[in-house]
Amino acid sequence: MVKQERAARTREALVQAAAAAFDCAGYEATTLAKISKAAGISIGALTFHFRSKDELADAVQARGEAALRYAADRAAAREEVPLQAAVALTVEIARLLEEDPTVRAAARLARERVDGATAWCSLWLPTLDRLLAQASRGELRPGTDRKTVLALVSYLVTGAEGYARSRAKSPGKADDSAEQQLTRIWDVVLPGISGGDRVSP
Amino acid sequence: MVKQERAARTREALVQAAAAAFDCAGYEATTLAKISKAAGISIGALTFHFRSKDELADAVQARGEAALRYAADRAAAREEVPLQAAVALTVEIARLLEEDPTVRAAARLARERVDGATAWCSLWLPTLDRLLAQASRGELRPGTDRKTVLALVSYLVTGAEGYARSRAKSPGKADDSAEQQLTRIWDVVLPGISGGDRVSP
C-alpha cells in the first residue's frame, strides 16, 4: 500500500516535471534526461514508469485534456444565459492555462506532435459553438455573425494561451493573470456583440 | 554577374525552404538535411551559403522581421484616424502571416530560440500602443481602458498567427484567409470599443 502510494507520487512528480519541460521547451527539445533531472528522479525510475518520451507526453496530454473537458462539461451544464456561459468558459480556460502546466503543455503538444494527438481546440471549441448557437437566438446583437463570434472567441483563447505561457516563463511579474486580463478584455468586447440583456464576464 | 545572380537565387531558395520548415516543424525538429532536400540544393551548397542552422534561422528571422517593421512603419505614417490605422496594421500583419512563410517562421523562431532573438511582439506592439494612445483622445469609447484594448489587439494578432499557421498546414481549404477573418472579427469588436466616429476595418 505504502509502496503503491510512493509509486503514484513518483508518477505525479514525473508528469509535473514533464509538463513544465514540454510547455517551456516543446516536444523535440525535451529529453528524458532533462525531465529526470528536473524531477530529481533517476532515469531508471523514470523509465520504469514511462518507457519513452511518447508515453510521458501521452500522460501529460491526458491530464491537461481531462482538466479542459471537465471545464467544458461544466460550462455546458450551467443554468445561465448561454453567452454568459461561453464567456465564463473562456475565462476558466485562461485560468487553467495560467495555473496548470499540464494544460499549457497539452495545448503545445497537441500542436507539435504529429500523430494521434487530440486537436487542442476540439476540447473546447464544440462547446463554445453550441453555446453561441443558443446565444444567437436573442442574446447576440442582431446582425452579428455567429461564425465570426466563434472565431473571435477562439482568437481570445489562443491569445490567453500565449499570455499565460509568457508569464510562466518569467514568473514573479506583477501583471494581471491570464484570467484577469481576459475578463477585462471581455468587458471591452461584450458591449459590441451582445444585444439586449446585460452580460458580464 | 551571372554567378552572383545564381548565388542570390540559391540563397533565396534556401531561405524560403528553411522558413517553411521552421514554421511547420519548429527550430529543434528542423535539420539542415531536411532543408537541403526541400530546397533541392545539395548540403554542400547549403553550408557554403549558411554555415549552420543558426545562421539560416537568423536569415529567415531577419527577412520576416523586415516585412513586419515595414508594415508597422507604414501604419505609423498613415494619415487616417489612429484607431483605423491600428486596425489596419493588425489586418496587414494577418495578411503577412497568411502569405509569407518567413513572417510565420519569424514569429515561431522568436519564441523558440532562446538567445538573441528579437521578441516577436516588439516588432508591432509599440506601434499599436502609440496609435491607441492617440486614439484614446476621443476615438475610444469613453471609459475604455487603453491597456485592455492593447491586450485585446495583441490577442487578436496571436489568434491570427495560429489561424494562418493552421491554414498553411492544410492548404487548399476554402475557409476565409487570416486577413478576411480578422477583418470580420473587427466588424464585430469595433462597435464595442470605438466612441463617436465610425471606424471600419
Side-chain angles (χ1 to χ4, degrees):
Chain A
M1 192 57 195
V2 173
K3 204 171 159 190
Q4 279 180 352
E5 268 172 37
R6 206 180 307 140
R9 230 177 296 143
T10 303
R11 279 183 72 91
E12 180 59 25
L14 287 167
V15 166
Q16 292 298 334
F22 287 133
D23 168 43
C24 176
Y27 183 75
E28 285 287 338
T30 298
T31 61
L32 289 184
K34 282 183 194 168
I35 296 169
S36 135
K37 198 177 161 197
I41 288 164
S42 75
I43 194 87
L46 187 158
T47 48
F48 171 79
H49 289 284
F50 300 97
R51 273 171 304 176
S52 64
K53 185 161 85 166
D54 255 337
E55 262 193 39
L56 197 39
D58 285 343
V60 169
Q61 271 186 280
R63 177 73 64 85
E65 287 170 9
L68 252 296
R69 283 214 185 83
Y70 178 70
D73 289 349
R74 276 204 321 178
R78 278 193 192 203
E79 296 191 358
E80 52 195 351
V81 281
L83 185 54
Q84 182 99 52
V87 168
L89 174 53
T90 64
V91 172
E92 173 66 6
I93 296 172
R95 189 187 69 76
L96 288 168
L97 284 163
E98 165 103 20
E99 296 178 4
D100 190 339
T102 69
V103 173
R104 285 196 305 277
R108 181 162 187 174
L109 289 170
R111 234 170 269 131
E112 294 185 355
R113 296 176 79 195
V114 187
D115 49 341
T118 316
W120 160 244
C121 66
S122 76
L123 297 167
W124 43 271
L125 209 57
T127 303
L128 288 170
D129 191 25
R130 232 171 297 128
L131 290 168
L132 290 175
Q134 291 164 23
S136 65
R137 295 180 212 123
E139 278 180 275
L140 291 183
R141 182 193 276 252
T144 304
D145 177 39
R146 190 185 116 207
K147 241 183 82 186
T148 303
V149 176
L150 187 64
L152 162 64
V153 165
S154 84
Y155 279 33
L156 294 183
V157 171
T158 305
E161 183 197 334
Y163 182 67
R165 185 166 293 119
S166 73
R167 276 173 56 79
K169 277 193 181 171
S170 45
K173 275 207 197 164
D175 297 340
D176 285 345
S177 71
E179 185 185 359
Q180 288 169 325
Q181 190 168 80
L182 186 54
T183 302
R184 273 189 235 269
I185 287 175
W186 274 120
D187 272 332
V188 161
V189 169
L190 269 175
I193 67 169
S194 60
D197 293 350
R198 234 193 103 65
V199 175
S200 60
Chain B
M1 194 59 194
V2 172
K3 205 172 159 190
Q4 277 179 355
E5 267 172 36
R6 206 181 306 139
R9 229 176 296 141
T10 304
R11 279 183 71 91
E12 180 59 25
L14 287 167
V15 166
Q16 292 299 332
F22 287 134
D23 169 44
C24 177
Y27 183 76
E28 285 287 339
T30 298
T31 61
L32 288 184
K34 282 183 195 170
I35 295 168
S36 135
K37 199 177 160 198
I41 289 165
S42 74
I43 194 88
L46 187 157
T47 49
F48 171 79
H49 288 283
F50 300 98
R51 273 171 305 177
S52 65
K53 185 162 86 168
D54 256 337
E55 261 194 39
L56 197 37
D58 285 343
V60 169
Q61 272 186 277
R63 178 73 66 86
E65 287 171 8
L68 253 296
R69 282 212 186 83
Y70 177 71
D73 289 348
R74 275 203 322 175
R78 279 193 191 202
E79 294 191 0
E80 53 196 349
V81 280
L83 184 55
Q84 183 99 50
V87 168
L89 174 54
T90 65
V91 172
E92 173 65 7
I93 296 172
R95 190 187 68 76
L96 289 168
L97 284 164
E98 167 104 19
E99 295 177 5
D100 190 340
T102 69
V103 173
R104 286 196 305 277
R108 182 163 186 171
L109 289 171
R111 233 170 268 129
E112 293 185 354
R113 296 177 79 195
V114 186
D115 48 343
T118 316
W120 159 245
C121 66
S122 76
L123 298 167
W124 43 272
L125 210 58
T127 303
L128 288 170
D129 192 25
R130 232 171 298 127
L131 290 167
L132 290 174
Q134 292 164 23
S136 67
R137 296 179 211 123
E139 277 181 277
L140 290 183
R141 182 193 276 252
T144 303
D145 177 41
R146 190 184 115 207
K147 240 184 81 186
T148 303
V149 176
L150 187 65
L152 162 64
V153 166
S154 86
Y155 279 34
L156 294 183
V157 171
T158 305
E161 182 197 335
Y163 182 67
R165 185 165 293 119
S166 74
R167 275 172 56 80
K169 278 192 179 169
S170 45
K173 273 206 196 167
D175 297 341
D176 285 345
S177 71
E179 184 185 359
Q180 288 169 323
Q181 191 169 81
L182 187 54
T183 302
R184 271 189 235 271
I185 288 175
W186 275 119
D187 271 332
V188 161
V189 168
L190 269 175
I193 68 170
S194 61
D197 292 349
R198 234 193 105 66
V199 175
S200 61

